[in-house]
Amino acid sequence: MFKNHHRFGHRVFQTAAMVGALAGLAWGSQTVAHASTLAVPDISEWQGRLSAGEVAGLKNQVSFVINRRQYGVGYQDLYATNNTNLYVRYGVPFGEYDYARFHDAASARQEAQDFYARSNKHANFYVLDFEENDVTSGSTNAAVRAWADEMRSLTTKHLVFYSYQSFATTYANSARKAFDAQWIANYSSTPTIPFALWQYTDHNYLSALGQYTDNSRVTTSVHPVSWWADSAALALTHAPATSSATTPPTNTNVNPTVAAPSTSGTGSTFTGYPVGAYAELHKHATRYTDGKAIPVSRRQRLYKITKVSGQKLYLKTLHHWVWARDVTGYWGGSHRSFKLTHKLNLYRNASLTRRTGGYYVAGDTVHGSLVKAPNGRAYRIKTKLGYLTANVRYSNLA
């Protein structure tokens, strides 16, 4: 989420400053009071097919989850059904979102119908993720309002509007007020306008998943956490997994030579790390694959991958095998061309904290040089247009 799009090419540069008003239900002023430190991640197929063990662990780390159901009418999220069923099973409150792709009011109504039909009816709320202008007939406000009106005819549950500030005020300034809450993305600073939920980062670590996700904060002065996370509809609560395929391994194995990864579950482990790439060892990594403890001083450092065996990586200078889920991999060295496998945002700085408003899409070939991040624990692709992450999950060498 929080991506800019362009109808005439792969890259977009949003020149408008992100300062528009994303008002809620005619709120005049807003005293910002945030909820607890529990996470509010949004999850899509990019986080993988979640396992029972991962969702069981997630229950104690989140206030609620917002899961993508579809990317317009034509594409359903690969793992939405699996993941939302697990949320129900383990008592994790959740909402679902529709990434809008409608092109007029009629197609917006159809998109809402398909979204609701596909959704898990245990969802506590439904979100319209409107951040791309595909409307070619009529006004964007009319299309957004049509989506909301259609959803009102299908459900009495809360409806939430999501976007970033400038896009919301430009393309849905009136229609967004038809929703019960506003969810706004701003990664650089606290929003200057009213909001009920603030997506403030795309890099929050969840140990239950062993990876980073977007994260948001609830503004309790607008809606309490219970407004979002009332779990009365979740009839089923935590139950032990019955299949060895979804039961997470633990670190209590009596044979330390086959110790499991130091973070629970393997459902979404990325195993495509190539020899020659670099790996940052996570601060949450506690044990090598042989069961021996990893000193704190050796974590959060960058190491070269010299051997790969299944889910195990051998790191040069560390001289140990580690679990793939305990690292983040990056391209390094003198490579100059990369074929992207995911949409990637462009940033003005190598810390990836200041977005340009543009991005590349999957399939683009990007040319640039590899540079280290200021913290020394990651690599970036420096292009003429800005910086991209060099995470090996999101590109291949071209």
Side-chain angles (χ1 to χ4, degrees), residues 220-237:
T220 54
S221 54
V222 178
H223 293 305
V225 174
S226 60
W227 188 90
W228 304 87
D230 182 359
S231 56
L234 298 176
L236 300 179
T237 57

Side-chain angles (χ1 to χ4, degrees), residues 79-379:
Y79 308 122
T81 298
N82 171 82
N83 294 351
T84 57
N85 285 344
L86 286 175
Y87 303 149
V88 175
R89 180 181 180 185
Y90 287 94
V92 177
F94 69 97
E96 294 201 73
Y97 73 89
D98 168 27
Y99 189 105
R101 298 305 310 273
F102 46 72
H103 53 84
D104 58 17
S107 61
R109 286 190 288 271
Q110 184 62 56
E111 187 166 316
Q113 292 170 17
D114 289 355
F115 173 51
Y116 184 72
R118 293 166 174 171
S119 70
N120 187 312
K121 302 308 181 287
H122 290 293
N124 294 338
F125 56 90
Y126 296 104
V127 180
L128 174 65
D129 177 1
F130 186 58
E131 53 184 297
E132 174 179 2
N133 181 12
D134 288 325
V135 175
T136 58
S137 177
S139 72
T140 51
N141 274 285
V144 170
R145 183 60 189 254
W147 188 96
D149 289 346
E150 189 64 30
M151 287 295 291
R152 292 284 186 210
S153 73
L154 299 169
T155 180
T156 59
K157 293 185 177 180
H158 303 314
L159 300 184
V160 179
F161 178 87
Y162 170 91
S163 194
Y164 55 95
Q165 293 181 101
S166 62
F167 192 91
T169 55
T170 301
Y171 296 105
N173 198 37
S174 60
R176 59 193 171 82
K177 299 172 185 177
F179 292 75
D180 302 311
Q182 309 292 327
W183 177 21
I184 182 170
N186 189 328
Y187 297 163
S188 59
S189 62
T190 303
T192 58
I193 41 73
F195 56 93
L197 188 64
W198 170 28
Q199 187 182 83
Y200 68 95
T201 184
D202 60 356
H203 198 68
N204 181 68
Y205 187 78
L206 283 176
S207 60
L209 304 185
Q211 58 182 299
Y212 293 88
T213 69
D214 295 342
N215 197 38
S216 298
R217 292 173 179 163
V218 176
T219 306
T220 54
S221 54
V222 178
H223 293 305
V225 174
S226 60
W227 188 90
W228 304 87
D230 182 359
S231 56
L234 298 176
L236 300 179
T237 57
H238 189 134
T242 57
S243 169
S244 60
T246 56
T247 303
T250 67
N251 287 326
T252 58
N253 196 311
V254 295
N255 183 352
T257 63
V258 292
S262 56
T263 49
S264 64
T266 57
S268 60
T269 301
F270 178 73
T271 58
Y273 295 108
V275 170
Y278 287 78
E280 181 206 1
L281 187 60
H282 296 162
K283 67 178 180 180
H284 305 280
T286 58
R287 296 190 178 278
Y288 299 116
T289 60
D290 62 4
K292 294 180 180 178
I294 302 175
V296 174
S297 62
R298 308 307 297 272
R299 306 174 201 171
Q300 289 189 284
R301 293 189 178 187
L302 206 58
Y303 301 94
K304 191 170 186 177
I305 301 171
T306 56
K307 299 177 185 177
V308 178
S309 178
Q311 294 188 19
K312 298 188 295 183
L313 310 173
Y314 191 83
L315 304 184
K316 187 178 180 180
T317 70
L318 185 65
H319 306 300
H320 276 283
W321 289 93
V322 301
W323 294 105
R325 70 173 298 111
D326 284 342
V327 307
T328 299
Y330 297 94
W331 299 114
S334 59
H335 304 296
R336 296 289 181 179
S337 297
F338 308 86
K339 184 80 174 275
L340 302 189
T341 58
H342 291 68
K343 297 177 182 177
L344 293 182
N345 294 319
L346 276 161
Y347 291 82
R348 300 181 187 279
N349 59 345
S351 297
L352 305 189
T353 59
R354 297 174 54 218
R355 294 183 55 174
T356 67
Y359 75 95
Y360 288 94
V361 299
D364 278 351
T365 297
V366 177
H367 304 284
S369 59
L370 289 165
V371 298
K372 270 190 178 181
N375 64 13
R377 303 199 304 266
Y379 277 97

Side-chain angles (χ1 to χ4, degrees), residues 16-72:
M18 297 177 117
V19 294
L22 187 60
L25 305 173
W27 303 320
S29 60
Q30 175 174 328
T31 301
V32 177
H34 294 302
S36 69
T37 56
L38 290 179
V40 180
D42 53 89
I43 302 293
S44 71
E45 64 187 45
W46 304 126
Q47 279 70 52
R49 181 185 175 93
L50 302 186
S51 70
E54 287 174 321
V55 175
L58 202 62
K59 181 176 180 179
N60 296 321
Q61 295 182 8
V62 303
S63 292
F64 53 93
V65 172
I66 307 177
N67 203 99
R68 188 177 76 170
R69 173 56 62 172
Q70 64 182 34
Y71 184 74

